[in-house]
Amino acid sequence: MTGMQVLAIDAGQTGMKVRVEGADVVFRGIDTHEPLLPQLADVVHGAIARTGSTPDIVTAGISGLTDRDADAALLLSLVRDTGVRAASLAHDSTTSFLGALGDARGAVVAAGTGVVTLAVGQDAVSRVDGWGYIMGDAGSGYWIGREALDAVMRAYDGRGPRTALTDPVRALWPDLPFAYIDLQAAEDRVRIVASFAAEVARLAAEGDPVAQSISDRAARELAHSVSASLNNVRRHDDERFTVCAIGGVFRSPRLHDAFAAELTRDRYDVTLVAPLGEGIDGALALADLSPQHPLSSAVHRAVA
């Protein structure tokens, strides 16, 4: 696709970033209660209108993309009037990997409200977790927030140690015994729970033992997912891998340091590195992804 103009989309639930002709524009995030592809088509039309561009291909990394929604041909039909002639769609774990590590072999763990780990080996790909807040997402912002709320209520009952986490929870729900009722009734309860991850990070840095314990356990979960993903793609005992940790959860110094220590404690084969770029860079890279690359099979393509 070299030489073609690319309109790349990094589509998340909190916002959608579009890059075209070197410029970035931002749109509201995916509404998970509405069909996905018409929303992407609206973003393509909006980005073209705002930038005056004439893209040849649309590429997108999409949070939570399923095979059911990954109909690149349908997206093309929805943007036929723009002159776009090709489309490539992928789960955002794929574009997060390409943005962070490029063509390197290794693993990227992306931990925000949820978490997913993707490993790429010589000839195999392994996705670990990313199974949502009910069935998985171990070590994610939601997981951390849920552990914080559990710790606060244990302290309230006398089943656990006192913790400074009680204060920010009381700030939202002054009457703690009724907090669970308000939370269960809230439409944005996942976001509310995950928001306490920032308080855990802050109070862990200030020395609260409970917040530190939660951070350390989250780090172990995240490191375990990385190790599992790399084991799934390993072909030789002497293989070495590059690992990149991205997402808001890793802004916690306590958690990041504990993750690095846990990951490398018993492993000689990993090197933890900073990301080369972001998810939008990975979405852009879809346009030139080689058919021989292990991740190519995870990309849904269509040509008009």
Side-chain angles (χ1 to χ4, degrees):
M1 295 295 179
T2 301
M4 300 182 72
Q5 185 176 122
V6 182
L7 187 153
I9 306 172
D10 182 22
Q13 294 182 29
T14 57
M16 286 193 257
K17 180 186 287 188
V18 176
R19 180 170 295 169
V20 59
E21 292 188 328
D24 290 350
V25 290
V26 179
F27 296 83
R28 66 186 298 271
I30 297 169
D31 184 345
T32 57
H33 300 293
E34 297 294 334
L36 170 65
L37 296 179
Q39 296 180 69
L40 291 182
D42 287 344
V43 167
V44 172
H45 283 109
I48 290 173
R50 287 165 63 174
T51 62
S53 57
T54 56
D56 301 295
I57 177 173
V58 170
T59 62
I62 304 162
S63 174
L65 182 68
T66 63
D67 288 344
R68 179 189 61 196
D69 292 322
D71 190 339
L74 177 56
L75 177 61
L76 274 184
S77 71
L78 295 173
V79 297
R80 184 182 297 112
D81 59 313
T82 66
V84 170
R85 295 180 283 127
S88 295
L89 308 178
H91 190 276
D92 64 344
S93 61
T94 297
T95 49
S96 290
F97 186 100
L98 292 170
L101 290 183
D103 288 333
R105 298 298 182 256
V108 173
V109 51
T113 297
V115 61
V116 63
T117 299
L118 190 71
V120 176
Q122 178 180 334
D123 57 7
V125 175
S126 174
R127 171 182 160 180
V128 169
D129 209 344
W131 307 130
Y133 71 97
I134 294 176
M135 296 177 64
D137 287 351
S140 68
Y142 180 90
W143 186 97
I144 292 169
R146 171 66 177 77
E147 290 295 303
L149 294 175
D150 180 79
V152 167
M153 299 318 297
R154 286 177 179 273
Y156 178 84
D157 289 340
R159 293 179 292 135
R162 292 183 179 180
T163 171
L165 288 166
T166 298
D167 291 338
V169 175
R170 277 194 186 277
L172 186 58
W173 299 296
D175 199 351
L176 278 182
F178 295 95
Y180 77 99
I181 297 175
D182 291 342
L183 180 59
Q184 290 174 4
E187 291 186 0
D188 60 342
R189 55 186 173 274
V190 173
R191 181 198 62 79
I192 292 171
V193 172
S195 72
F196 287 105
E199 297 295 343
V200 172
R202 177 178 67 83
L203 292 170
E206 294 178 5
D208 181 73
V210 173
Q212 290 178 338
S213 174
I214 293 171
S215 299
D216 292 346
R217 286 187 283 119
R220 286 195 293 272
E221 291 284 359
L222 295 167
H224 184 54
S225 290
V226 171
S227 292
S229 69
L230 292 176
N231 287 340
N232 290 340
V233 301
R234 178 184 303 282
R235 293 294 179 264
H236 308 288
D237 291 340
D238 59 351
E239 280 187 277
R240 294 191 61 83
F241 298 100
T242 302
V243 174
C244 188
I246 60 176
V249 161
F250 290 104
R251 295 192 191 108
S252 165
R254 173 85 184 202
L255 186 148
H256 184 278
D257 291 348
F259 168 80
E262 185 72 23
L263 184 66
T264 58
R265 177 175 294 115
D266 299 318
R267 301 196 68 126
Y268 63 90
D269 61 343
V270 298
T271 302
L272 191 61
V273 300
L276 297 173
E278 302 175 336
I280 189 65
D281 300 298
L284 195 62
L286 287 178
D288 290 314
L289 188 66
S290 167
Q292 285 71 46
H293 194 286
L295 283 174
S296 184
S297 61
V299 181
H300 303 262
R301 299 179 176 88
V303 178

